[in-house]
Amino acid sequence: MPRLLTSSGTLLVVQSSLSGVTATLDGLRRAGLRARVADRLVQPFGPVMASREDWFAARGSSHPGRAPRTSS
């Protein structure tokens, strides 16, 4: 990505907290970029994600009962 940016360029990455934010930050920094989390938003799981909550918990990505849910 650094080759695609000008020296004053900005890269915006929108990423789920379930997909390794720390690893992404580390990789961007290793590539020579100044990386940081600019903002966080807790958003309820939709029906598909909620139906897989146990799978996420088994992988250590989420904890049963702690994942936000929708009220549908």
Side-chain angles (χ1 to χ4, degrees), residues 4-18:
L4 300 176
L5 295 173
T6 64
S7 60
S8 61
T10 300
L11 171 69
L12 175 64
V13 177
V14 178
Q15 179 173 349
S16 168
S17 62
L18 297 176

Side-chain angles (χ1 to χ4, degrees), residues 19-61:
S19 60
V21 174
T22 301
T24 298
L25 289 169
D26 290 345
L28 291 170
R29 290 174 182 144
R30 278 193 306 275
L33 299 174
R34 291 183 313 204
R36 68 182 177 89
V37 174
D39 199 3
R40 292 182 189 271
L41 172 69
V42 176
Q43 190 166 344
F45 279 173
V48 173
M49 295 289 283
S51 72
R52 290 170 172 79
E53 183 178 353
D54 292 339
W55 183 81
F56 287 117
R59 295 183 66 226
S61 299

